[in-house]
Structure formats: structure tokens, C-alpha cells
């Protein structure tokens, strides 16, 4: 139960700038997705430029594929022989792929760097001079000073452009705001409207949107020029592929292209809303921003909205007056992040794998570093997007006196996106027909997928619970930053460790289930048990309960009532408080946990004594099946007791 | 076709009209008039608002009066030129240009009234023709009766008449 918060007569707007925007992380994810796709496209292109080496490398595969193995060690040895055989080819391939990715980055940088010059020429933009409009120039200087933009951008215009608009663009340390002739005339006819439009553009500069936006655009264009077009030409000219492979490749590239395009547009739409909100803080309640937004023309078409880089005027107007929508948990966004991650992970994993294989490093040695490397790249992005969203949603729910719902579902959506993304990733295009892929997905990968979904569901519920607790400590915006950075870092570390374990589990189960003659149930349970017994698993579990409970040490500093000026954008005549959280009771948790542990030990002791007395223990020791039953029986008992302990503690209102 | 002297005259007179009828467009005048004399059609190309990244939104195009004022004034100057040429058929081109200028109040000084080559002011019939010409042309370009009327009246007001001379 939570106390109701005090509300002002007019609800003030939640401050979206209290948290960093997740769009930064989404831009980085976009970059990784594009580079990952580039590496795989160049892999396809390499069959032509490295044709003799490719042919030689193919012979390394046959002996390995032809056999199945009873012994896991034998599988590993065969894999190692395969690696040694392909190492020279992989050396060249890696250089080729890195070259391809480097080329995309260089071309992207060139596009980004020359774009402002091209824009000025293309749109016939010239500096807005004092001779032409002295009052406008003076006003713009004053406006930049008012909003604290130092140095101010360069103002350019096209007097022949009769449209009523402005635009921010530029590159690092060289920013422009372009005005149309129509907008300049508005300075004289409707100055508040002119001011509102300019504040919006200055807000883009203040929000540091220009570099990220135009580099992302440049990267996409470079990808099209350097990767997609050569790929299309190659498919048409060379066409050495079977119909299935051709379909697999083209389908995936198209889906990736559409995904990147739609993600890019979604991010740009989000930036427009943030710019509107920032501008509204400068424009004030009596400003014209709302009026100007309401007067914007409405574009038609629901599906066309996905292609637009601005939200509808109605949506912008609503967001301006009620920012709470920016704090909602978004299932579609989580799903989209999941797809992008799922598409990119196999690409990066394959690349890292080849990098290690080219050095002929032992397969067993590189598995964990490879998986850890992949997890280290993507986990921060997932935590930085979906995790940060969860923190923001927890904050908004707390500020409104509500309980955050849906965090677990966000994790599920993320997991489903990852699974779908893995299916759509380019490496799987070479795996054969879609039927083969579906078998892989729903049979060999099923244990991994189930673990992924359940794990992410629980993980994001955990993030939400931790965030709700720790937000009570945020007396200032600086304290808030420290808290969510620490919280997300801990979440990131836990997720990296768990992801690496999960990837390893996935790699070994897929390999062994495909090539081993051992019963799948035994393989899975053995690998799962081995993963559970790793020290890193223990560290993960400790981290999961230590983070939320650690707040008990600062319990006296939790804000009982305080004016949270940072939480809201508009000055409220009344103080707003976060709801008071129930006091944590770690002592109760410790006692109940100890009782649960002692109960387990007592039951185990009784069972062992019983087995000894009944002479059954020797029968168990010599029978593998009974031994497994006994072992897993203990595990199940432990799990059940822990579930009871958790239920008792939860009922005692340990956490909200 | 107009020559460069006529262009200067048109620009001068059009600027005054912009000050009178659409002062908010004055900052645009220099660029618009330069573009107009280079290529008259280009200033009428409909600049539709388009959606751009980091712009405010899809902006609607405002209807500017300056291009229309330039066109209308060009027609008026051409008409006045023709009328002056009829009355002083044997004079040189430069003298004709001076005479045309003096048809407009702005350039007609009090001393000019006493000069021998001062052209007679426009008759009421001629003024009516100018007004009709300006109004029709403005209506065609601006699709607004009120604006066309405003412009036509301003143009007529700028011309020297028998009562003002």
C-alpha cells in the first residue's frame, strides 16, 4: 500500500529531462545493426573476391558434418580440427570484413561532413544578413542568449522559400538554423509564432540532436551505397545461389532495411517531442507553441505515419500538455529493440568467433570470451534502452501514486523480439530452408528461448522493483543521476553475466543436440546443472537480492516528504512528494531464509538417514538413473522451499 | 521584355508598393526582385512545405505578394511606356526613360513641371486602364479580390494625374 501523493490544483508536467533519453542508446544499436549487416553482406561478396580461399575452406567442413559423436570431447576435437583448417581463410576474410565495415564508416563520415555544405547549396541558403532583416538578426541573437546557446548557431535562409518553416542541421561545431522566407515574414506578422518555431529549432541544438541524427542518416546512406547496392548487383550478376538461399538473403536484407528505417523514424519522432517540450520551458505558458502546433496541417494515413519523422500535430499538442506519455512502458519499442539486438548479435558473435578462429585459438577456450564479448557489446544497449525506460516508468508511476505494471511484459516483448531477430539475422540465411530454421528455433533452441523469455520477464520486474525503491533516495537531480547510473550498471553487469551463461548454454546445447547421440534430456539437464553451479551464477543471484535490499543501509535518508522540484518542469505552488515506501525488513527476510535453509538441511538429513537405514543408498549409488533422480530431487526441494520463503517474505510486505 | 533601366524603375516602384501593402515582406524584396529579373517564372514556383529531419513540421506555404507586385508593376510600367512613346515618338530612348519616370509621383519633382519635356499626366481614361490592368493581373496571380483591389489602388495612387500635377 502506498500513501497518496499531494497534488497541486493543476497537475504539473513530469520532467522528461530528469532522465537521459534512451534515443542515444538506440542510435548506437542502430549503428551496430548496420555494421553487423555490412559484415555479413561483405561475407557474401567475399565468395567472389576470395573465391579460391572460400573453396578450400569448404572442404574443411565435410568431415565434421558427416559424423555424429557419442563423446562430447570428440565433438570438441572435431571442431578444433575444423578451426585449424579454416584459419588461413578466416584471416583473409576478417581483413575483408573489417575493410568493408571501415569503408561504410568512412563513407558515412564523409557524407556527414559534407552534408551541411551540400544542404546550403541545394536549398540555396545564404546567411541572414543585417542589411536584409536587421530586426530579425538582432532578435535571433537575443533569443540564443536567452536560451543559453553558446556559441549561437549560424542563421541562414532562402528568401524565395515561401513555406513557413525552419530546420536545424550541421556537423560537429558547425551548426545552422535555416529559416524560410515565409517564416521571416512571420516575424513581423506574428512574432510569438516565429519565436515558438525558432525555440523548437534551438531546442534541437540544446538537446544535441544534430550530430546523432545526421550521422545516423549518413550511416544509413553509406550502408546503402557501400553494402546494399553492391549486394544487389552481385546477386543479379553472379547469381550462383540456390533459390532458397537467394530468398533467405534478400528477405532478410529487406527486413533489416525496413527495420532500420522505421527505427530511425521512430527515434526522430521522439526527438521532435523532446524539442517541443524543451522549447515550451523557454516559451512559457503564455507562448504560442501550442497554438502553432495546433495549426500544423494534418497528414493522412495511419501507415504513412510510420514513415514520417514528425508525430502528428495532435500528438505533439497532447505531449506538450501531458508529458506522462513519454514515461510509459512501450512494448513495441522493447520488441523493436529485441529484433535489432537479435539481428545484430549473431553477426557480431560470428565475427568475433572468426577473429578468434583465425588465430587458431582452442575452441573451448574462446567460447566464453566470445560470448562475453558479445554480451558486453549488446547488454549495455538493452539496459540503456529498455532498462532506462523501466526506470522512467517507475518514476512516473511513483510520482502519480501508482504501482508500475507491465515491466515483466516488457521483458517478454524484448525476448520475443530477440528470438525473431535471431531468426531474421543474416547468418541464419545460410542455414538452409526456413523449415530447417524453424526446427532450429523451436527444437534445438527451445530450451534457450524459454530461459531467455522467463529470465527477461523476471529481470525487468526486478529492475522495476529496485527502481521504485531507490527513487525514494533522489532528493536532487544529481542524486537521481547517481542512483539510476549505479542501478543500471548493476543491472547491466548481471545481465552480461547471465547472457554469457545463456549464450554458452545455447551454443553447447545446439552443438551437442545436433551431433551427439546422447539423449536430449540428459544433455540439457547436465548442461543446465553445470551452468547453475558456476561461480558466476552465485554472483548473479547475490546481486539480484543485494541491490534492492541495500537501500536498508540508507533507510534514514529516504525522503519522507520533500519538494521534488526536479521531478516536474513547471513551478507548482504546492510541494509534490513521492509516495512513502514501506520500510524494508531485511531482518525478517534473513530469519525466514535461515529457517528455510535449516528446514532443507533437516529434510535432507532425514532422507539420507532413511536411505541409509533402509539400505537404499547403495542401490542409488550404482544406478545412474536413481542418482539423477536423487540429485534433482534435492534441487527441486530447494527450489520449492525458496519459493515458500519468498512467498512468506513477500506477504509480509517486504517490497512493494 | 524590359531593359535594365526599366528593371531599376520597376524594382524601385515595386519596393514602395511592398512597403505600403506588405511591409513584412521587405526583407525578402532584394532577393526576390533579383531572382525575378533573372527568371520571372522561378519566383512563382510553388514552394510546398516538405517534411525534413529536425524541422518544425510540414509547413504550409505562405502566399507572398512581392512576386505578384513585381509582375503587376512590370505590366504597368510597360503600359505607361507605351503611352509615353506614343506622345513623344521622335525622342531618344534615354529621354523616354526619364519621361516615363516622371509619370510617377515619386520621381516627378516640382521643377520638372516647368520643363519643356515634361510629359502630360495620365488622363482619367488612361488611369482607369491602368487600374483595370493592375487589378486583373493581380487577381490572376493572387486569387484574392481584396488584395488585388488594394494593389491596384496603390498603383493608381502612385501615378501622376492631372489633379496631382
Amino acid at each position: 500500500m502506498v500513501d497518496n501523493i499531494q497534488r497541486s490544483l493543476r497537475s504539473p508536467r513530469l520532467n522528461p529531462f530528469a532522465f537521459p533519453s534512451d534515443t542515444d542508446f538506440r542510435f548506437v544499436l542502430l549503428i551496430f545493426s548496420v555494421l553487423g549487416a555490412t559484415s555479413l553482406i561483405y561475407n557474401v561478396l567475399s565468395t567472389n573476391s576470395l573465391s579460391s580461399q572460400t573453396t578450400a575452406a569448404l572442404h574443411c567442413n565435410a568431415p565434421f558434418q558427416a559424423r555424429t559423436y557419442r563423446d562430447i570431447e570428440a565433438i570438441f576435437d572435431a571442431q578444433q580440427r575444423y578451426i585449424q583448417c579454416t584459419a588461413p581463410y578466416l584471416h583473409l576474410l576478417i581483413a575483408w570484413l573489417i575493410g568493408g565495415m571501415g569503408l561504410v564508416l568512412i563513407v558515412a563520415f564523409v557524407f556527414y561532413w559534407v552534408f551541411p555544405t551540400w544542404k546550403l547549396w541545394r536549398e540555396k541558403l545564404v546567411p541572414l544578413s543585417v542589411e536584409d532583416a536587421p530586426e530579425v538578426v538582432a532578435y535571433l541573437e537575443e533569443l540564443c542568449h536567452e536560451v543559453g546557446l553558446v556559441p549561437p548557431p549560424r542563421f541562414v535562409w532562402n528568401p524565395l522559400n515561401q513555406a513557413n518553416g525552419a530546420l536545424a542541421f550541421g556537423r560537429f561545431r558547425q551548426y545552422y538554423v535555416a529559416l524560410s522566407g515565409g517564416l521571416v515574414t512571420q516575424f513581423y506578422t506574428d512574432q510569438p509564432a516565429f519565436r515558438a518555431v525558432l525555440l523548437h529549432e534551438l531546442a534541437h541544438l540544446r538537446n544535441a540532436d544534430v550530430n546523432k541524427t545526421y550521422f545516423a542518416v549518413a550511416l544509413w546512406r553509406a550502408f546503402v551505397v557501400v553494402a546494399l547496392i553492391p549486394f544487389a548487383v552481385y546477386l543479379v550478376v553472379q547469381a550462383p545461389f540456390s533459390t532458397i538461399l537467394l530468398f533467405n538473403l534478400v528477405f532478410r536484407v529487406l527486413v533489416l532495411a525496413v527495420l532500420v528505417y522505421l527505427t530511425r523514424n521512430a527515434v526522430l519522432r521522439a526527438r521532435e517531442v523532446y524539442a517541443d517540450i524543451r522549447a515550451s520551458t523557454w516559451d512559457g505558458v503564455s507562448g504560442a507553441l501550442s497554438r502553432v502546433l495546433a495549426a500544423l496541417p494534418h497528414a493522412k494515413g495511419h501507415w504513412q505515419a510510420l514513415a514520417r519523422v514528425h508525430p502528428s500535430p495532435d500528438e505533439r499538442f497532447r505531449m506538450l500538455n501531458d508529458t506522462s506519455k513519454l514515461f510509459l512502458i512501450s512494448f513495441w519499442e522493447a520488441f523493436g529493440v529485441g529484433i535489432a539486438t537479435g539481428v545484430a548479435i549473431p553477426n557480431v558473435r560470428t565475427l568475433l568467433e572468426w577473429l578468434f578462429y583465425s588465430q587458431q585459438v582452442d575452441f573451448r577456450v574462446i567460447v566464453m570470451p566470445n560470448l562475453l564479448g558479445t554480451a558486453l557489446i549488446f547488454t549495455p544497449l538493452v539496459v540503456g534502452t529498455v532498462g532506462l525506460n523501466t526506470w522512467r516508468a517507475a518514476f512516473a508511476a511513483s510520482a502519480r501514486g501508482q504501482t508500475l505494471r507491465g515491466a515483466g511484459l516488457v521483458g517478454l516483448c524484448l525476448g520475443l523480439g530477440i528470438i525473431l531477430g535471431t531468426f531474421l539475422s543474416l547468418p541464419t540465411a545460410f542455414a538452409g530452408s526456413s523449415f530447417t530454421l524453424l526446427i532450429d528455433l523451436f527444437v534445438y533452441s527451445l530450451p534457450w528461448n524459454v530461459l531467455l523469455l522467463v529470465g527477461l520477464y523476471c529481470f525487468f520486474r526486478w529492475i522495476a522493483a529496485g527502481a521504485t525503491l531507490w527513487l525514494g533516495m533522489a532528493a536532487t537531480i544529481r542524486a537521481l543521476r547517481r542512483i539510476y547510473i549505479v542501478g543500471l550498471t548493476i543491472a547491466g553487469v548481471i545481465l552480461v553475466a547471465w547472457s554469457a551463461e545463456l549464450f554458452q548454454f545455447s551454443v553447447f546445447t545446439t552443438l551437442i543436440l545436433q551431433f551427439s547421440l546422447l539423449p536430449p534430456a540428459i544433455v540439457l539437464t547436465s548442461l543446465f546443472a553445470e551452468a547453475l553451479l558456476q561461480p558466476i551464477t552465485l554472483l548473479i543471484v547475490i546481486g539480484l537480492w543485494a541491490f534492492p535490499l541495500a537501500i536498508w543501509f540508507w533507510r534514514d535518508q529516504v525522503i519522507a516528504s520533500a519538494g521534488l522540484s526536479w521531478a516536474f518542469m513547471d513551478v507548482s505552488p504546492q510541494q509534490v512528494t513521492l509516495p512513502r515506501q514501506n520500510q524494508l525488513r531485511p531482518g525478517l527476510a534473513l530469519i525466514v531464509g535461515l529457517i528455510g535453509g535449516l528446514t532443507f538441511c533437516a529434510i535432507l538429513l532425514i532422507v539420507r538417514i532413511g536411505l541409509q537405514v533402509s539400505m537404499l543408498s547403495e542401490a542409488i549409488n550404482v544406478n545412474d538413473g536413481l542418482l539423477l533422480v536423487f540429485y534433482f530431487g534435492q534441487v527441486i526441494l530447494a527450489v520449492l522451499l525458496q519459493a515458500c520463503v519468498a512467498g512468506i517474505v513477500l506477504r509480509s510486505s517486504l517490497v512493494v | 521584355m524590359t531593359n535594365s533601366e526599366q528593371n531599376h524603375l520597376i524594382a524601385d516602384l515595386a519596393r514602395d508598393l511592398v512597403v505600403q501593402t506588405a511591409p513584412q515582406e521587405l526583407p525578402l524584396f532584394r532577393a526576390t526582385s533579383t531572382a525575378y529579373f533573372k527568371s520571372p517564372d522561378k519566383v512563382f514556383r510553388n514552394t510546398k512545405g516538405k517534411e525534413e529531419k529536425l524541422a518544425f513540421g510540414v509547413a504550409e506555404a505562405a502566399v507572398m505578394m512581392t512576386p505578384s507586385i513585381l509582375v503587376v508593376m512590370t505590366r504597368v510600367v510597360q503600359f505607361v511606356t507605351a503611352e509615353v512613346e506614343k506622345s513623344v515618338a521622335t525622342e531618344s530612348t534615354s529621354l523616354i526613360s526619364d519621361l516615363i519616370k516622371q509619370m510617377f509621383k515619386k520621381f516627378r519633382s516640382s521643377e520638372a513641371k516647368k520643363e519643356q519635356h515634361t510629359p502630360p499626366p495620365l488622363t482619367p481614361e488612361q488611369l482607369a486602364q491602368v487600374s483595370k490592368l493592375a487589378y486583373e493581373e493581380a487577381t490572376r496571380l493572387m486569387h484574392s479580390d481584396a488584395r488585388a483591389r488594394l494593389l491596384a489602388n496603390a498603383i493608381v495612387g502612385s501615378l501622376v494625374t492631372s489633379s496631382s500635377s
Side-chain angles (χ1 to χ4, degrees):
Chain A
M1 295 286 291
V2 293
D3 297 333
N4 289 324
I5 65 166
Q6 299 166 1
R7 291 183 184 272
S8 59
L9 291 173
R10 192 180 70 180
S11 295
R13 297 179 295 171
L14 286 170
N15 181 8
F17 302 108
F19 290 86
S21 164
D22 65 339
T23 52
D24 287 358
F25 291 97
R26 284 204 265 169
F27 270 127
V28 176
L29 192 57
L30 211 67
I31 291 169
F32 274 103
S33 301
V34 168
L35 290 181
T38 303
S39 75
L40 263 301
I41 285 176
Y42 268 70
N43 184 24
V44 173
L45 297 176
S46 74
T47 54
N48 189 38
S49 53
L50 303 177
S51 55
S52 55
Q53 292 89 343
T54 308
T55 309
L58 282 174
H59 292 301
C60 298
N61 206 28
F64 182 66
Q65 291 284 5
R67 299 176 61 179
T68 53
Y69 298 86
R70 195 166 185 89
D71 189 329
I72 291 175
E73 283 297 320
I75 297 172
F76 291 160
D77 284 339
Q79 182 74 5
Q80 194 56 34
R81 275 183 273 124
Y82 169 75
I83 290 166
Q84 283 166 353
C85 180
T86 55
Y89 159 69
L90 289 176
H91 219 88
L92 285 170
L93 182 62
I94 292 288
W96 169 257
L97 297 181
I98 290 174
M101 288 191 290
L103 187 61
V104 164
L105 286 175
I106 289 169
V107 171
F109 184 77
V110 169
F111 284 166
Y112 160 77
W113 199 256
V114 304
F115 177 79
T117 310
W118 177 85
K119 184 76 173 170
L120 291 168
W121 169 80
R122 178 83 171 84
E123 304 290 330
K124 296 179 181 49
L125 295 168
V126 294
L128 182 63
S129 69
V130 171
E131 287 77 35
D132 285 323
E135 305 96 338
V136 177
V137 170
Y139 185 81
L140 290 173
E141 273 174 26
E142 204 181 291
L143 203 61
C144 291
H145 182 74
E146 182 186 326
V147 305
L149 261 183
V150 175
R154 301 176 201 194
F155 290 97
V156 294
W157 72 322
N158 178 354
L160 300 180
N161 182 356
Q162 297 175 22
N164 238 351
L167 161 72
F169 68 100
R171 63 174 188 236
F172 183 65
R173 289 183 185 262
Q174 198 174 325
Y175 303 111
Y176 297 86
V177 173
L179 290 80
S180 64
L183 183 65
V184 171
T185 65
Q186 204 173 38
F187 174 80
Y188 300 96
T189 57
D190 188 353
Q191 204 173 101
F194 175 86
R195 175 185 159 85
V197 172
L198 262 299
L199 285 177
H200 174 93
E201 298 308 323
L202 296 180
H204 275 307
L205 296 174
R206 178 71 173 74
N207 291 346
D209 289 339
V210 172
N211 287 322
K212 281 171 283 196
T213 299
Y214 286 102
F215 189 76
V217 170
L219 184 68
W220 169 251
R221 289 176 180 164
F223 172 68
V224 170
V225 168
V226 173
L228 274 187
I229 291 176
F231 178 66
V233 169
Y234 179 75
L235 287 181
V236 168
V237 169
Q238 289 288 333
F241 305 106
S242 66
T243 309
I244 289 173
L245 182 57
L246 190 66
F247 172 77
N248 281 346
L249 286 171
V250 172
F251 167 69
R252 279 163 177 74
V253 169
L254 279 176
V255 168
L256 179 69
V258 168
L259 174 72
V260 170
Y261 177 73
L262 292 179
T263 303
R264 186 203 74 165
N265 289 352
V267 169
L268 289 175
R269 284 195 295 273
R271 298 320 299 162
E272 293 300 333
V273 172
Y274 276 91
D276 285 339
I277 293 168
R278 175 83 70 186
S280 73
T281 62
W282 297 326
D283 203 29
V285 176
S286 56
L289 185 59
S290 299
R291 171 169 61 85
V292 176
L293 282 175
L296 282 173
H298 287 65
K300 290 175 192 156
H302 176 70
W303 292 107
Q304 290 91 320
L306 293 174
R308 284 194 280 271
V309 294
H310 290 85
S312 69
D314 288 341
E315 196 180 332
R316 290 171 77 175
F317 183 82
R318 271 197 301 273
M319 296 271 215
L320 203 59
N321 293 297
D322 179 11
T323 57
S324 57
K325 227 183 147 186
L326 287 172
F327 295 85
L328 291 178
I329 280 193
S330 172
F331 301 113
W332 282 113
E333 276 181 20
F335 185 64
V337 168
I339 292 181
T341 308
V343 165
I345 281 177
N347 297 340
V348 172
R349 237 172 78 179
T350 305
L351 200 60
L352 285 175
E353 208 170 77
W354 289 343
L355 203 57
F356 283 118
Y357 286 177
S358 67
Q359 306 304 314
Q360 299 192 45
V361 180
D362 189 294
F363 160 70
R364 281 158 289 189
V365 170
I366 66 145
V367 170
M368 190 42 107
N370 178 14
L371 300 173
L372 202 58
T374 309
L376 272 170
I377 290 169
F378 288 101
T379 302
L381 299 176
V382 167
V383 166
T385 50
V386 187
L388 190 59
N389 256 345
T390 309
W391 269 81
R392 275 215 299 267
F395 155 69
S398 295
R400 300 284 188 218
Q402 293 160 356
T403 308
L404 176 62
R405 295 190 193 284
L409 284 178
V410 159
L412 266 184
C413 289
L414 176 69
L416 286 171
I418 290 174
I419 292 169
L420 181 60
T422 310
F423 177 72
L424 293 172
S425 70
L426 284 176
T428 58
F430 298 96
S433 67
S434 295
F435 178 73
T436 312
L437 287 170
L438 286 171
I439 293 291
D440 275 343
L441 190 71
F442 291 108
V443 177
Y444 297 130
S445 301
L446 184 63
W448 182 83
N449 291 340
V450 168
L451 279 176
L452 177 74
L453 291 173
V454 170
L456 286 176
Y457 176 86
C458 298
F459 182 70
F460 280 91
R461 286 202 65 172
W462 173 82
I463 288 183
T468 305
L469 279 172
W470 279 94
L471 280 168
M473 288 279 297
T476 63
I477 204 162
R478 196 181 277 187
L480 171 71
R481 282 205 185 112
R482 269 200 300 269
I483 289 165
Y484 66 64
I485 286 172
V486 170
L488 287 171
T489 303
I490 291 172
V493 168
I494 289 173
L495 194 59
V496 164
W498 178 67
S499 302
E501 287 283 322
L502 199 60
F503 290 154
Q504 186 177 34
F505 179 71
S506 162
V507 164
F508 285 129
T509 49
T510 308
L511 196 63
I512 292 167
L513 284 173
Q514 280 186 309
F515 299 111
S516 171
L517 296 174
L518 292 169
I522 291 179
V523 169
L524 288 172
T525 47
S526 304
L527 288 171
F528 186 71
E530 195 183 330
L532 280 180
L533 291 172
Q534 298 300 312
I536 202 164
T537 306
L538 182 63
L539 290 174
I540 292 170
V541 171
I542 291 173
L544 286 173
W545 59 254
F547 173 66
L549 290 181
I551 198 172
W552 184 77
F553 294 101
W554 286 273
R555 59 192 181 281
D556 296 331
Q557 295 174 36
V558 170
I559 301 162
S561 70
L564 291 173
S565 56
W566 59 261
F568 296 88
M569 285 199 302
D570 311 301
V571 175
S572 172
Q574 297 169 353
Q575 281 191 338
V576 179
T577 60
L578 279 181
R580 200 195 319 254
Q581 301 295 331
N582 286 332
Q583 285 290 320
L584 289 179
R585 300 172 67 186
L588 173 68
L590 182 65
I591 291 166
V592 176
L594 270 173
I595 294 172
L598 287 169
T599 308
F600 173 77
C601 292
I603 294 172
L604 200 60
L605 192 62
I606 293 167
V607 167
R608 279 186 175 267
I609 292 171
L611 288 173
Q612 279 289 106
V613 165
S614 61
M615 311 287 273
L616 284 173
S617 61
E618 281 192 29
I620 289 171
N621 284 336
V622 300
N623 187 317
D624 286 347
L626 286 175
L627 204 57
L628 268 174
V629 168
F630 180 69
Y631 173 72
F632 283 108
Q634 291 174 87
V635 173
I636 291 166
L637 176 65
V639 167
L640 285 172
L641 277 170
Q642 285 172 77
C644 289
V645 164
I648 292 168
V649 169
L650 188 65
R651 240 183 111 76
S652 307
S653 302
L654 180 66
V655 289
V656 175
Chain B
M1 287 286 287
T2 55
N3 56 39
S4 112
E5 264 196 64
Q6 275 184 328
N7 286 348
H8 278 122
L9 176 63
I10 293 165
D12 236 334
L13 295 169
R15 193 177 190 285
D16 290 344
L17 282 175
V18 167
V19 169
Q20 275 183 64
T21 58
Q24 71 274 9
E25 294 182 29
L26 208 52
L28 280 59
F29 185 80
R30 184 166 62 96
T32 308
S33 58
T34 308
Y36 171 74
F37 292 124
K38 236 187 230 175
S39 174
D41 296 331
K42 273 190 185 166
V43 295
F44 283 98
R45 273 192 201 152
N46 240 344
T47 317
K48 279 187 188 167
K50 53 181 181 177
E51 192 181 33
E52 296 210 61
K53 297 167 210 46
L54 304 189
F56 187 77
V58 180
E60 283 187 327
V63 178
M64 302 291 183
M65 285 185 70
T66 304
S68 306
I69 290 172
L70 285 163
V71 170
V72 172
M73 187 49 74
T74 302
R75 291 291 309 275
V76 167
V77 165
Q78 283 171 340
F79 174 81
V80 169
T81 304
E83 295 299 306
V84 166
E85 279 174 351
K86 276 183 210 168
S87 62
V88 287
T90 58
E91 298 297 335
S92 68
T93 313
S94 59
L95 183 60
I96 289 175
S97 297
D98 287 338
L99 293 175
I100 293 165
K101 271 190 183 175
Q102 289 174 47
M103 298 304 288
F104 294 91
K105 287 178 185 171
K106 180 177 179 176
F107 299 103
R108 192 153 179 138
S109 60
S110 52
E111 287 79 17
K113 293 176 201 175
K114 299 170 189 167
E115 285 182 25
Q116 196 175 356
H117 294 290
T118 306
L122 294 176
T123 64
E125 293 75 26
Q126 285 172 323
L127 280 174
Q129 275 184 286
V130 168
S131 177
K132 183 168 180 274
L133 170 76
Y135 175 75
E136 281 173 359
E137 194 67 18
T139 307
R140 182 181 71 81
L141 294 168
M142 291 190 277
H143 306 290
S144 164
D145 184 70
R147 284 185 173 193
R149 184 67 56 200
L150 174 72
L151 186 57
N153 291 342
I155 290 174
V156 167
S158 73
L159 285 162
V160 176
T161 60
S162 52
S163 55
S164 61
S165 61

